[in-house]
Amino acid sequence: MKNSRFKKKVFEEAALTAHLTVQIGELPSLRGKSQNVEVLEIKSKKVKSVISKLKRTLREYRKLTGKGRGIAAIQIGIPLKIAVIFQKDNILTIINPKIAKKSSELLKYPEICMSANPIIAKVVRHSYIEFEYLDENGKLQIWNDKNPLMNRVF
């Protein structure tokens, strides 16, 4: 019976949040390649609106579940290379990320994806990555956080 209560809780949570993101099988482009955002478009109403919606969605998901480190635009049905991640009390916007370096060490973690809720899968990731990205102002930034927990977002 204990397992049944757990399953009920897991599926209730999934039902509570399913409207926030596109779920696997719902949209073929979820597994496709997203498009770069042109630098001149970063401050446009369209891109600002996408970023705002991503931040609202991540906050709402975290409010409902206490989980969720990041979300990409494709997860709300928009095939642009834009993502937001929760860092302490801040939400960081990442546009057009491009990996510059990655470790040879691989780590395996159980993970859940907001677009595959409630599935938990073991995912293999590099223990460290470094990548370049543009921020909300179109300025080039470098991600080089050596924390494996934060690197799991990518």
Side-chain angles (χ1 to χ4, degrees):
M1 283 304 255
K2 184 178 179 184
N3 198 22
S4 294
R5 284 193 302 268
F6 171 76
K7 286 180 183 178
K8 182 179 178 187
K9 181 180 182 280
V10 166
F11 283 102
E12 283 174 350
E13 183 179 286
L16 188 65
T17 60
H19 70 285
L20 295 172
T21 61
V22 173
Q23 296 296 303
I24 286 179
E26 205 176 340
L27 187 66
S29 62
L30 185 61
R31 305 269 310 157
K33 188 172 182 174
S34 292
Q35 302 297 311
N36 278 323
V37 177
E38 296 297 326
V39 176
L40 296 174
E41 291 291 311
I42 290 175
K43 292 193 174 189
S44 70
K45 283 184 181 181
K46 175 187 171 187
V47 172
K48 283 183 176 186
S49 175
V50 171
I51 292 168
S52 179
K53 182 171 172 75
L54 284 168
K55 288 180 177 181
R56 279 194 319 273
T57 302
L58 182 57
R59 283 186 187 107
E60 181 68 12
Y61 192 91
R62 289 180 62 84
K63 180 180 167 188
L64 292 170
T65 68
K67 302 172 190 164
R69 269 187 300 254
I71 185 171
I74 193 63
Q75 290 177 272
I76 59 170
I78 302 169
L80 292 175
K81 290 184 181 178
I82 303 173
V84 298
I85 63 165
F86 189 81
Q87 272 190 318
K88 299 177 186 164
D89 295 326
N90 182 38
I91 296 181
L92 177 68
T93 301
I94 295 170
I95 302 169
N96 299 340
K98 184 176 179 184
I99 294 176
K101 295 179 186 175
K102 55 188 173 185
S103 69
S104 58
E105 179 185 17
L106 299 175
L107 301 173
K108 187 186 290 188
Y109 297 100
E111 295 188 12
I112 190 165
C113 174
M114 290 159 63
S115 291
N117 200 4
I119 299 168
I120 298 173
K122 289 184 179 176
V123 178
V124 176
R125 298 198 188 271
H126 294 276
S127 65
Y128 166 78
I129 60 170
E130 181 177 300
F131 63 89
E132 299 175 343
Y133 66 96
L134 301 173
D135 64 16
E136 286 182 68
N137 297 309
K139 290 190 177 195
L140 183 64
Q141 303 289 333
I142 296 176
W143 173 277
N144 59 3
D145 189 328
K146 300 234 189 302
N147 179 346
L149 183 65
M150 287 310 296
N151 283 307
R152 287 171 55 189
V153 176
F154 305 100

